[in-house]
Amino acid sequence: FDLVMHIGNKLRYLIESKGFTKRDFAYLLETSEQNLHKILNKESIQISQLIAFCELLKVHPNLFFENLEIGLEILRVRILSLQ
């Protein structure tokens, strides 16, 4: 049971749901479409990049960490069950 959505997938979903094309969004980020693609496919993102995305998408950065506490609790329970 995976509660965590890959951050790039979540960003991709938000970009599309806000009506941006990847080309337009890359332009607003002042980067290339190819670089945007690389950022969205990485396993992690720099905080400064995440903040830039959030400002353009008009969402709070906490949106990307909303399931973190639940996920940590599930992990803790799983670890305890192995002991």
Side-chain angles (χ1 to χ4, degrees):
F1 181 51
D2 187 13
L3 289 172
V4 181
M5 177 187 264
H6 184 274
I7 198 162
N9 290 340
K10 192 173 257 193
L11 285 167
R12 197 175 283 108
Y13 169 78
L14 288 168
I15 290 167
E16 292 171 6
S17 70
K18 299 281 183 169
F20 292 105
T21 65
K22 288 191 180 88
R23 175 183 284 166
D24 291 340
F25 198 79
Y27 176 80
L28 293 172
L29 278 176
E30 299 178 0
T31 192
S32 68
E33 194 172 349
Q34 293 81 9
N35 194 43
L36 176 61
H37 179 76
K38 288 179 189 176
I39 293 168
L40 295 177
N41 287 315
K42 288 182 4 182
E43 288 296 318
S44 61
I45 187 170
Q46 294 178 10
I47 294 296
S48 59
Q49 288 177 322
L50 180 61
I51 290 171
F53 275 84
C54 290
E55 287 174 351
L56 290 171
L57 294 168
K58 298 186 181 355
V59 297
H60 195 280
N62 284 350
L63 177 67
F64 296 91
F65 305 103
E66 62 189 8
N67 292 326
L68 184 59
E69 189 174 319
I70 295 167
L72 289 174
E73 181 61 20
I74 289 172
L75 180 60
R76 185 184 72 75
V77 169
R78 286 181 181 169
I79 290 171
L80 289 175
S81 70
L82 296 174
Q83 296 177 349

